[in-house]
Amino acid sequence: MTMAKYNITEKKEKEAAYRTLVNPKLMDEMKEKILNIIVMQKKYKDKNYSAKMLASDLGTNTRYISAVVNVRFHMNYTSLINKYRIEEAMSILVDKRYQDLKIEDVSSMVGFSNRQSFYASFYRIMGMTPRDYRLKYQTAHASGKKKK
């Protein structure tokens, strides 16, 4: 079935079948290895760190990485990377030490290569812009302080 207006085609069963062939125990092990590299080693901050590089670091191929990320994280590689970038951006945006940083600087610090992709990812995950998030948090924070 194709929805011509949006050029959307249903996913082929072949892709899903490949995922079911992977041993669940091996998938769990690979999930931990992926988390170690992406989160613990903070590779999500590297603008150029691709699924291909991750596969190479883990001695496997991108198809396997993709299958594990899809099955174990329920998202694609880019969404996984962006999730960790946005989580870090949220902490930076509300950290007093970084209150004078421009949104673009925060975007760059967490690994986005441009402002547009940062805003789009942030909005997709949080339902608001990074600027609105910062203002909302700072306003909530400020109202809890003593009035002068």
Side-chain angles (χ1 to χ4, degrees), residues 73-101:
F73 296 98
H74 308 289
M75 58 183 79
N76 65 28
Y77 175 80
T78 304
S79 297
L80 179 68
I81 294 292
N82 288 346
K83 172 183 179 276
Y84 289 106
R85 289 175 174 168
I86 297 303
E87 284 176 7
E88 180 155 351
M90 287 164 56
S91 334
I92 293 170
L93 287 167
V94 298
D95 190 321
K96 284 186 178 132
R97 294 172 296 177
Y98 301 114
Q99 66 188 13
D100 295 330
L101 268 186

Side-chain angles (χ1 to χ4, degrees), residues 12 46 54 59 61 66-67 84 92 101-102 115 133 147:
K12 294 175 180 62
D46 181 345
L54 176 62
N61 61 51
S66 176
Y84 289 106
I92 293 170
L101 268 186
K102 291 181 183 149
R115 182 180 178 268
Y133 179 83
K147 300 231 182 336

Side-chain angles (χ1 to χ4, degrees), residues 19-142:
R19 290 185 208 140
T20 59
L21 296 173
V22 181
N23 176 323
K25 187 176 186 301
L26 289 176
M27 268 203 186
D28 288 340
E29 288 172 11
M30 187 57 71
K31 176 185 177 183
E32 292 308 311
K33 289 177 181 175
I34 290 170
L35 283 172
N36 179 50
I37 290 176
I38 299 297
V39 183
M40 304 310 281
Q41 296 178 31
K42 295 189 182 281
K43 288 290 187 179
Y44 63 85
K45 289 177 136 186
D46 181 345
K47 294 171 179 54
N48 303 310
Y49 196 73
S50 64
K52 190 172 185 174
M53 292 166 93
L54 176 62
S56 174
D57 288 348
L58 293 172
T60 186
N61 61 51
T62 53
R63 206 169 151 191
Y64 185 63
I65 293 292
S66 176
V68 174
V69 170
N70 274 260
V71 174
R72 289 295 184 251
F73 296 98
H74 308 289
M75 58 183 79
N76 65 28
Y77 175 80
T78 304
S79 297
L80 179 68
I81 294 292
N82 288 346
K83 172 183 179 276
Y84 289 106
R85 289 175 174 168
I86 297 303
E87 284 176 7
E88 180 155 351
M90 287 164 56
S91 334
I92 293 170
L93 287 167
V94 298
D95 190 321
K96 284 186 178 132
R97 294 172 296 177
Y98 301 114
Q99 66 188 13
D100 295 330
L101 268 186
K102 291 181 183 149
I103 301 292
E104 288 78 8
D105 296 332
V106 174
S107 166
S108 185
M109 280 173 74
V110 299
F112 282 96
S113 46
N114 64 62
R115 182 180 178 268
Q116 290 78 9
S117 58
F118 175 56
Y119 266 78
S121 293
F122 197 99
Y123 194 86
R124 195 176 306 115
I125 292 171
M126 296 305 300
M128 65 177 78
T129 66
R131 184 180 177 276
D132 289 343
Y133 179 83
R134 177 185 258 172
L135 289 172
K136 180 181 178 180
Y137 186 86
Q138 286 176 340
T139 305
H141 218 67

